[in-house]
Amino acid sequence: MSRPSAPPFPLTLLYQDQHVVILDKPAGVPVHAGPKGGASVEDCFPFLSRRKDGPWLAHRLDTETSGCLAIALRKQPLLAMQQAFADKTAQKTYWAVVHGGPTEQSGTIDLPLLKQSDRTGWRMVVNQQGAPSRTSWRVLGRADSLCWLELSLHTGRTHQARVHCAAMGWPILGDTLYGTPHPEGLHLLARSLTLPFSPPITATASPRPGMEAALNQCRWVK
Protein backbone atom coordinates (compact mmCIF):
# COMPACT_ATOMS: atom_id res chain seq x y z
CA MET A 1 0.00 0.00 0.00
CA SER A 2 1.38 3.42 -0.96
CA ARG A 3 2.04 5.99 1.70
CA PRO A 4 -0.51 8.86 1.70
CA SER A 5 0.91 12.15 0.50
CA ALA A 6 -0.62 14.26 3.27
CA PRO A 7 -2.03 13.68 6.76
CA PRO A 8 -5.81 13.26 6.96
CA PHE A 9 -6.18 16.48 8.96
CA PRO A 10 -3.94 19.52 9.54
CA LEU A 11 -1.24 18.71 12.07
CA THR A 12 -0.64 21.31 14.76
CA LEU A 13 2.29 20.29 16.95
CA LEU A 14 2.46 21.96 20.35
CA TYR A 15 5.74 20.23 21.25
CA GLN A 16 8.16 18.01 19.36
CA ASP A 17 11.54 16.40 19.99
CA GLN A 18 13.12 13.07 19.04
CA HIS A 19 11.08 11.19 21.64
CA VAL A 20 7.75 12.92 22.20
CA VAL A 21 5.17 14.83 20.20
CA ILE A 22 2.27 16.71 21.78
CA LEU A 23 -0.42 17.21 19.18
CA ASP A 24 -3.28 19.71 19.22
CA LYS A 25 -6.00 17.17 18.41
CA PRO A 26 -8.94 18.60 16.46
CA ALA A 27 -12.45 18.06 17.76
CA GLY A 28 -14.28 15.33 15.85
CA VAL A 29 -11.19 13.21 15.18
CA PRO A 30 -11.00 9.91 17.14
CA VAL A 31 -7.65 8.70 18.40
CA HIS A 32 -8.26 5.18 17.01
CA ALA A 33 -9.85 4.09 13.74
CA GLY A 34 -13.43 3.01 14.39
CA PRO A 35 -15.75 0.50 12.70
CA LYS A 36 -17.37 3.30 10.70
CA GLY A 37 -14.05 4.30 9.15
CA GLY A 38 -12.87 7.88 8.75
CA ALA A 39 -9.69 9.65 9.76
CA SER A 40 -8.10 9.07 13.17
CA VAL A 41 -5.03 10.33 15.00
CA GLU A 42 -3.27 7.04 14.26
CA ASP A 43 -3.50 7.85 10.53
CA CYS A 44 -1.05 10.72 11.04
CA PHE A 45 1.65 8.51 12.61
CA PRO A 46 3.60 8.01 9.33
CA PHE A 47 4.04 11.79 9.19
CA LEU A 48 5.48 11.94 12.70
CA SER A 49 8.05 9.14 12.47
CA ARG A 50 9.44 6.73 9.89
CA ARG A 51 10.44 4.17 12.49
CA LYS A 52 8.79 0.76 12.29
CA ASP A 53 8.36 0.50 16.07
CA GLY A 54 5.90 3.31 16.80
CA PRO A 55 4.64 5.93 17.25
CA TRP A 56 2.26 5.11 20.09
CA LEU A 57 -0.52 6.99 21.86
CA ALA A 58 0.51 7.67 25.45
CA HIS A 59 -3.09 8.41 26.54
CA ARG A 60 -6.46 9.19 24.95
CA LEU A 61 -8.96 11.98 24.41
CA ASP A 62 -12.64 11.69 23.54
CA THR A 63 -13.41 12.15 19.86
CA GLU A 64 -15.19 15.48 20.43
CA THR A 65 -12.53 16.87 22.79
CA SER A 66 -9.79 19.05 21.29
CA GLY A 67 -6.36 19.89 22.66
CA CYS A 68 -3.20 18.34 24.08
CA LEU A 69 -2.54 14.71 23.14
CA ALA A 70 0.85 13.10 23.85
CA ILE A 71 2.39 10.66 21.37
CA ALA A 72 5.57 8.68 22.01
CA LEU A 73 8.07 8.25 19.18
CA ARG A 74 10.22 5.75 21.11
CA LYS A 75 9.37 2.86 23.41
CA GLN A 76 11.17 4.22 26.49
CA PRO A 77 9.30 7.55 26.60
CA LEU A 78 6.07 5.63 26.02
CA LEU A 79 6.70 3.56 29.14
CA ALA A 80 7.71 6.69 31.08
CA MET A 81 4.54 8.54 30.05
CA GLN A 82 2.31 5.56 30.81
CA GLN A 83 3.85 5.40 34.27
CA ALA A 84 3.38 9.15 34.77
CA PHE A 85 -0.31 8.91 33.89
CA ALA A 86 -0.69 5.84 36.12
CA ASP A 87 0.95 7.40 39.19
CA LYS A 88 -0.71 10.82 38.59
CA THR A 89 2.54 12.77 38.15
CA ALA A 90 1.46 13.89 34.67
CA GLN A 91 -0.68 17.01 35.06
CA LYS A 92 -3.73 17.46 32.80
CA THR A 93 -5.80 20.63 32.82
CA TYR A 94 -9.04 21.13 30.89
CA TRP A 95 -11.21 24.09 30.02
CA ALA A 96 -14.96 23.56 29.86
CA VAL A 97 -17.92 25.84 29.25
CA VAL A 98 -20.90 24.50 31.20
CA HIS A 99 -24.60 25.29 31.48
CA GLY A 100 -25.38 27.10 34.72
CA GLY A 101 -22.36 26.44 36.88
CA PRO A 102 -21.41 26.28 40.54
CA THR A 103 -22.15 29.06 43.00
CA GLU A 104 -18.71 28.71 44.61
CA GLN A 105 -15.44 29.71 43.01
CA SER A 106 -13.63 26.36 43.40
CA GLY A 107 -14.14 22.87 44.68
CA THR A 108 -13.62 19.16 44.15
CA ILE A 109 -15.92 16.49 42.72
CA ASP A 110 -15.32 13.03 44.22
CA LEU A 111 -17.77 10.59 42.62
CA PRO A 112 -17.02 6.98 41.57
CA LEU A 113 -17.71 6.13 37.92
CA LEU A 114 -18.92 2.88 36.38
CA LYS A 115 -19.37 1.88 32.74
CA GLN A 116 -22.97 0.90 32.01
CA SER A 117 -24.12 -0.79 28.80
CA ASP A 118 -27.53 -1.49 27.31
CA ARG A 119 -29.04 -2.12 23.87
CA THR A 120 -28.48 1.47 22.78
CA GLY A 121 -24.77 1.53 23.70
CA TRP A 122 -22.75 2.45 26.77
CA ARG A 123 -22.12 5.43 29.02
CA MET A 124 -20.40 6.21 32.30
CA VAL A 125 -22.58 6.64 35.39
CA VAL A 126 -22.03 7.68 38.99
CA ASN A 127 -22.18 4.45 40.99
CA GLN A 128 -20.73 3.48 44.36
CA GLN A 129 -19.49 0.24 42.76
CA GLY A 130 -17.45 2.23 40.25
CA ALA A 131 -13.81 3.31 40.20
CA PRO A 132 -12.78 6.24 42.43
CA SER A 133 -12.77 9.44 40.39
CA ARG A 134 -11.77 12.95 41.46
CA THR A 135 -11.89 16.26 39.61
CA SER A 136 -10.90 19.67 40.98
CA TRP A 137 -12.45 22.77 39.44
CA ARG A 138 -12.26 26.53 39.62
CA VAL A 139 -14.31 29.24 37.94
CA LEU A 140 -12.46 31.35 35.36
CA GLY A 141 -15.44 33.37 34.13
CA ARG A 142 -19.23 33.60 34.09
CA ALA A 143 -22.10 34.67 31.84
CA ASP A 144 -25.86 34.76 32.42
CA SER A 145 -26.39 31.06 31.75
CA LEU A 146 -22.84 29.80 31.23
CA CYS A 147 -19.72 29.24 33.29
CA TRP A 148 -16.12 28.80 32.18
CA LEU A 149 -14.30 26.22 34.31
CA GLU A 150 -10.75 25.00 34.67
CA LEU A 151 -10.80 21.29 35.48
CA SER A 152 -7.90 19.27 36.90
CA LEU A 153 -8.35 15.51 36.58
CA HIS A 154 -6.69 13.59 39.40
CA THR A 155 -7.90 10.30 37.90
CA GLY A 156 -8.18 9.42 34.25
CA ARG A 157 -11.57 7.75 33.94
CA THR A 158 -13.40 7.61 30.62
CA HIS A 159 -15.63 10.69 30.15
CA GLN A 160 -14.68 11.81 33.68
CA ALA A 161 -14.93 15.58 33.16
CA ARG A 162 -18.20 15.23 31.26
CA VAL A 163 -19.92 12.94 33.76
CA HIS A 164 -18.71 14.82 36.83
CA CYS A 165 -19.94 18.16 35.50
CA ALA A 166 -23.30 16.68 34.48
CA ALA A 167 -23.69 14.98 37.86
CA MET A 168 -23.23 18.35 39.58
CA GLY A 169 -26.05 19.85 37.50
CA TRP A 170 -23.83 21.82 35.11
CA PRO A 171 -23.37 19.69 31.95
CA ILE A 172 -20.75 20.75 29.44
CA LEU A 173 -22.13 22.72 26.53
CA GLY A 174 -22.69 20.49 23.51
CA ASP A 175 -22.40 17.16 25.33
CA THR A 176 -24.76 14.93 23.34
CA LEU A 177 -24.40 12.01 25.78
CA TYR A 178 -24.66 13.69 29.19
CA GLY A 179 -26.23 17.03 28.25
CA THR A 180 -27.73 18.60 25.15
CA PRO A 181 -26.35 19.17 21.62
CA HIS A 182 -24.91 22.49 20.48
CA PRO A 183 -24.22 23.66 16.91
CA GLU A 184 -20.54 24.12 17.79
CA GLY A 185 -20.15 20.73 19.46
CA LEU A 186 -18.61 19.79 22.79
CA HIS A 187 -17.08 22.75 24.63
CA LEU A 188 -14.24 20.82 26.25
CA LEU A 189 -10.54 21.56 25.67
CA ALA A 190 -7.53 19.61 26.91
CA ARG A 191 -5.90 22.93 27.75
CA SER A 192 -2.49 21.91 29.09
CA LEU A 193 -0.32 18.89 29.71
CA THR A 194 2.85 18.65 31.79
CA LEU A 195 5.01 15.53 31.68
CA PRO A 196 7.43 14.99 34.60
CA PHE A 197 10.56 14.49 32.51
CA SER A 198 13.92 16.13 33.14
CA PRO A 199 13.41 18.89 32.20
CA PRO A 200 9.60 18.81 32.37
CA ILE A 201 7.67 19.01 29.10
CA THR A 202 4.70 21.38 29.05
CA ALA A 203 2.29 22.19 26.22
CA THR A 204 -0.74 24.46 26.03
CA ALA A 205 -3.54 24.35 23.45
CA SER A 206 -5.69 27.28 22.36
CA PRO A 207 -9.48 26.99 22.24
CA ARG A 208 -10.79 25.87 18.87
CA PRO A 209 -12.83 28.50 16.97
CA GLY A 210 -16.13 26.80 17.82
CA MET A 211 -15.56 27.40 21.54
CA GLU A 212 -14.60 31.05 21.28
CA ALA A 213 -18.09 32.58 21.23
CA ALA A 214 -19.11 30.90 24.49
CA LEU A 215 -15.75 31.75 26.10
CA ASN A 216 -16.14 35.36 25.02
CA GLN A 217 -19.51 35.48 26.79
CA CYS A 218 -17.66 34.35 29.92
CA ARG A 219 -15.16 37.23 29.48
CA TRP A 220 -12.30 35.25 28.00
CA VAL A 221 -9.94 37.48 26.01
CA LYS A 222 -8.16 35.85 23.07
Side-chain angles (χ1 to χ4, degrees), residues 12 15 65 76 79 91-92 137 146 155 163 165 168 193 196:
T12 301
Y15 176 86
T65 302
Q76 193 56 42
L79 298 175
Q91 299 176 5
K92 295 182 289 183
W137 57 267
L146 301 176
T155 49
V163 183
C165 287
M168 298 301 291
L193 174 64

Side-chain angles (χ1 to χ4, degrees), residues 89-101:
T89 55
Q91 299 176 5
K92 295 182 289 183
T93 300
Y94 289 75
W95 279 5
V97 180
V98 302
H99 288 283

Side-chain angles (χ1 to χ4, degrees), residues 131-196:
S133 307
R134 188 162 64 95
T135 303
S136 295
W137 57 267
R138 69 185 182 101
V139 174
L140 298 180
R142 298 182 188 269
D144 289 341
S145 60
L146 301 176
C147 188
W148 165 28
L149 298 177
E150 180 184 83
L151 306 172
S152 297
L153 275 56
H154 304 288
T155 49
R157 312 303 177 199
T158 301
H159 294 179
Q160 177 175 321
R162 298 165 62 185
V163 183
H164 272 178
C165 287
M168 298 301 291
W170 6 284
I172 297 175
L173 201 63
D175 192 333
T176 57
L177 190 57
Y178 306 103
T180 55
H182 187 278
E184 295 296 342
L186 182 68
H187 285 53
L188 181 62
L189 168 72
R191 170 64 173 173
S192 66
L193 174 64
T194 299
L195 301 171

